[in-house]
Amino acid sequence: MTLQIALLGGEGIGPEVVEATAEVLEHVLGDVDFVRPIHGKPALDAHGDALPEASKQVCRDADAVIFGATQKHCHPVLRFLRWGLVTHANLRPARNRPRLDSPLKNDQAVDLLVVRENLEGEYPGREGELSEFTRRWPELRDNFDREVPREGRFTVRVTTEEGTRRVVATAIDKAKKRRRRATARQTPLVTVVTKANVLRYTDGWFREIAFEMLEEAGMEYEHFFVDDAARRLVEHPWTFDVIVCPNLFGDILSDITAELVGGMGMAPSGCVGVENAYFESVHGSAPDIAGQGVANPLATVLSARMMLDHLGLEDLSDRIDHAVDDLLADGSVLTPDLGGSASTDQVTRALIDRLDD
Ligand code: IPM
Ligand code: MG
């Protein structure tokens, strides 16, 4: 069956790295149907909408979506790809690769996966005035039994049972299926990260639900408060396997884990739901180098490789993974961000050459 992949380049270097990735995918898949729904500025100019309904439908109908990067016109695109497609788990792997230096002195092989709850918590932002809040809910007390201040602003942080269960279920599934490569740890371990010591009612519940599910699944698991988890990630990241946590903690921890293994420029990600999934690099749109043909396509290529995993094409995913490692180890064809002088196109060609080795 021919896979249908929707490509949304987004802005800045997004379109360049997405097209490079499409070439790599075409090479490994042979038969693939790429669709390029109109979005961003062109869609805004033509239809007054950064992501018209027809483009949304193309994304829903596709087997998966690859997204480039967003600058200013694509926020509605991100909103749709997360909340519209209900992609509840944001998968952010971090593992050592050749030539990508770790800032850690005692570095050992790191191969971990952050599974970030993607739709709840502080996102997508529900804020207001405390005067209004306390007028409507005068009896709310904090954990020290004090009133809420009447002046200032507040945000609502949401935890639901459904949201918690589905992200923990994804973490358990990934922990069972993950092909661990670089690390000493070969058996699955799920680390739950919360702030349950302060947010007892919400994060305490998140932890309770996670423990119950992990127990039931017969998994090895542990829990750290988020500050402690951040510290441990810097102290000995190689002891982690799969981390599952609420949205904002995952946002922050995944920047740390990316930096531990070579930086945001090489970090891939995938947001998966029950019906839909989209894949994008963690890096931004890099407007300073956009259009120059020197953007590093590897983070998007590695995101596409996660897409192949998601679609059950593990062999093809492994081929790309090995080819990327070979290319890095060889080091002669790299983009300027990795210390080379090659163009996006040259890197793409070199990678495709290696896919056949
Ligand atoms: C990320 C980004 C986004 C987030 C921003 C751009 C809204 O930081 O994907 O990690 O906070 O989720
Ligand atoms: Mg982030």
Side-chain angles (χ1 to χ4, degrees):
M1 199 189 73
T2 307
L3 284 178
Q4 194 176 81
I5 313 291
L7 303 176
L8 284 80
E11 296 163 289
I13 59 168
E16 301 164 48
V17 293
V18 166
E19 287 308 321
T21 300
E23 283 183 52
V24 175
L25 280 176
E26 190 152 37
H27 190 83
V28 292
L29 286 166
D31 191 20
V32 51
D33 181 12
F34 291 125
V35 274
R36 295 173 173 80
I38 186 170
H39 65 284
K41 181 117 182 13
L44 210 52
D45 292 345
H47 307 282
D49 185 350
L51 195 65
E53 180 48 38
S55 296
K56 290 181 178 163
Q57 198 52 44
V58 169
C59 294
R60 286 188 204 103
D61 292 342
D63 290 293
V65 177
I66 295 182
F67 182 57
T70 161
Q71 204 166 311
K72 61 173 188 256
H73 296 291
C74 284
H75 286 301
V77 178
L78 192 68
R79 182 168 71 215
F80 171 74
L81 292 175
R82 291 190 184 176
W83 288 276
L85 293 183
V86 202
T87 50
H88 67 261
N90 193 328
L91 313 176
R92 297 191 162 177
R95 86 161 170 87
N96 301 110
R97 291 184 182 275
R99 202 171 290 272
L100 305 183
D101 287 336
S102 161
L104 301 181
K105 208 166 64 191
N106 301 318
D107 193 32
Q108 292 179 34
V110 174
D111 187 355
L112 58 81
L113 173 70
V114 175
V115 181
R116 160 187 177 188
E117 198 292 313
N118 207 29
L119 305 176
E120 304 192 336
E122 290 82 352
Y123 289 70
R126 287 153 294 245
E127 304 172 297
E129 294 293 329
L130 275 175
S131 52
E132 175 73 5
F133 181 98
T134 48
R135 193 173 61 73
R136 288 172 189 242
W137 194 1
E139 64 279 7
L140 182 71
R141 295 290 177 273
D142 66 22
N143 285 341
F144 305 141
D145 203 28
R146 299 176 314 170
E147 284 184 2
V148 175
R150 280 166 206 281
E151 275 176 39
R153 299 175 185 188
F154 69 90
T155 184
V156 176
R157 184 177 187 271
V158 170
T159 306
T160 70
E161 177 162 359
E162 185 198 11
T164 305
R165 285 193 181 277
R166 66 190 171 191
V167 73
V168 174
T170 301
I172 292 174
D173 181 55
K174 295 295 156 197
K176 285 184 175 162
K177 294 196 191 134
R178 231 158 81 76
R179 303 188 296 302
R180 295 165 190 78
R181 222 173 266 123
T183 180
R185 168 167 280 283
Q186 289 298 327
T187 54
L189 168 69
V190 177
T191 305
V192 182
V193 173
T194 72
K195 194 68 187 175
N197 47 347
V198 176
L199 305 171
R200 298 178 204 156
Y201 199 59
T202 47
D203 271 16
W205 191 38
F206 186 101
R207 179 175 60 179
E208 189 184 309
I209 293 169
F211 278 12
E212 177 201 303
M213 291 177 72
L214 286 156
E215 196 64 48
E216 201 163 300
M219 306 294 292
E220 199 182 323
Y221 62 91
E222 60 188 4
H223 169 271
F224 299 120
F225 299 125
V226 62
D227 47 347
D228 188 29
R231 183 190 66 72
R232 286 169 191 268
L233 277 170
V234 175
E235 192 192 13
H236 42 57
W238 46 88
T239 62
F240 288 88
D241 179 22
V242 171
I243 296 170
V244 63
C245 58
N247 205 342
L248 186 60
F249 297 159
D251 180 40
I252 299 166
L253 294 182
S254 64
D255 271 28
I256 297 182
T257 56
E259 215 52 61
L260 289 175
V261 296
M264 301 281 283
M266 283 292 292
S269 83
C271 295
V272 304
V274 176
E275 313 240 316
N276 296 286
Y278 88 94
F279 298 81
E280 69 171 319
S281 62
V282 180
H283 66 65
S285 60
D288 52 321
I289 57 160
Q292 295 175 21
V294 294
N296 181 357
L298 295 180
T300 305
V301 168
L302 289 173
S303 306
R305 152 184 191 248
M306 292 177 67
M307 177 192 80
L308 295 175
D309 269 334
H310 179 75
L311 296 171
L313 301 168
E314 286 91 356
D315 291 352
L316 300 183
S317 158
D318 281 349
R319 265 176 73 196
I320 295 183
D321 202 35
H322 289 131
V324 169
D325 275 3
D326 283 354
L327 188 80
L328 289 168
D330 170 81
S332 61
V333 189
L334 298 175
T335 44
D337 57 302
L338 294 178
S341 57
S343 65
T344 309
D345 217 41
Q346 286 167 326
V347 169
T348 308
R349 302 271 133 249
L351 187 66
I352 288 173
D353 283 347
R354 277 166 199 282
L355 282 169
D356 299 324
D357 288 350

